[in-house]
Structures are given as structure tokens and as C-alpha cells.
Amino acid sequence: RRAARANAPDIYLMFANGYSKMGHFYTMGFPGVGEGVHGTIYICSDPEEYVQVIRGEGLHPSGAVETQWPSISALKRMPGADEPGGATRGALNIFGHGEAWRQERMFFQQDLQTPKAARGYIPGLAKAAQLASRGAPACADSMDSFAARSSFDLFTAAFFGQLIESADPATPSLPGNLEF
């Protein structure tokens, strides 16, 4: 089914309204992201159905990173963007789709998927999630900011081994970490 219109100023309310009116699966227009002139995207909120979507994507699934045109545009202007083996070319592949994207992703993922590697970063992710969850009630009016800060906390825990603790407003954080 197609959602008639998304008038909600709050994106979370918009999806909640779509779910209550349309159910677990519906479409909506999201120009610049989705397919066609209206930017049709498909919303699936049933985990059992979503597993089927994930399994059906094949070797080259599409994702939100492909729509990050400001980053893509900046990378294209950097030296080495048109050199096949250049560092900028590799970064551009991450924002792409297809075999070049898959190769770059597999290169970055290979060290994250081994049991030994997971033992190194999973405890940090668990601690970052625990600390972030304490801040959720205080961020009820600004879940978008909470989600962004939680993501940053999880990222820095996994990749740098540091607990930034920016998601909980009651936890002191360095000002530079909050500006990210």
C-alpha cells in the first residue's frame, strides 16, 4: 500500500503514522533517494519479512551511503579520484555500488568478522550501548540527536577503543566530541 502523504515534521512520528495507517509494509516518496520521479522507497517494519529482503539483495545490495552526494562530490574533486589504484578512488568505491564497492567493503570487513577481532571490540560496543541507553529517557524530545550520538559512541568504541559517552546528556563529554 502507498502512504498518502508524510506531513509529520518529526521523522519518527512520520514512520509511526505510516505504520499505524498502512501496516508492516508500504511505500512512500523520498525524492533523491528512492526510485523514479517520486523517489519511491519501501518501508518494511516486520523483522521476519525484512530478513527475506536482506537475503534477496545478492552480492551488491544498495544502501544509504550511496545517497551521500556531498561526500561523493568532495571526493571526486580530490587528487587521485580518477586513478584506479589511488586512495581517493578506494574511498569513492565505498560510496558506490557493484563489484568495486563489494571488494572495498570486504577489505574493511575482513578484520571485523573474525572471532578474535570480535572479542576485542564487542565488550566496548556492549559498554557503549549500556552507557547510551541511560541517556535515552533524557533525549525523548530529540531522538534524532540521541541516535546520532549513540552511533558515534558505538563507532568510536569499535574502531578506536574509546568510550566517548556523548549519548547521555548527564555524562560529561569533551566539547569536541559533542560537535561531531
Side-chain angles (χ1 to χ4, degrees), residues 26-148:
Y26 59 95
T27 64
M28 65 184 290
F30 203 132
V33 175
E35 299 174 355
V37 68
H38 298 290
T40 301
I41 61 171
Y42 301 88
I43 310 298
C44 178
S45 59
D46 179 349
E48 297 296 323
E49 289 293 324
Y50 199 70
V51 166
Q52 294 178 37
V53 172
I54 297 291
R55 288 183 180 150
E57 285 186 319
L59 284 176
H60 308 120
S62 61
V65 76
E66 291 176 64
T67 64
Q68 303 303 312
W69 61 266
S71 298
I72 296 168
S73 179
L75 283 168
K76 284 182 178 177
R77 290 191 305 267
M78 292 181 73
D82 53 358
E83 297 172 17
T88 305
R89 180 82 249 151
L92 274 168
N93 289 341
I94 300 253
F95 290 95
H97 187 82
E99 187 57 25
W101 164 84
R102 191 181 75 74
Q103 288 176 2
E104 291 292 334
R105 181 176 173 187
M106 295 308 289
F107 173 76
F108 285 113
Q109 270 182 234
Q110 68 187 354
D111 288 335
L112 294 175
Q113 294 179 337
T114 66
K116 183 179 178 184
R119 281 191 293 278
Y121 67 81
I122 293 295
L125 288 177
K127 185 66 174 174
Q130 178 188 30
L131 294 170
S133 67
R134 292 181 193 161
C139 300
D141 293 334
S142 156
M143 286 305 287
D144 55 337
S145 176
F146 172 75

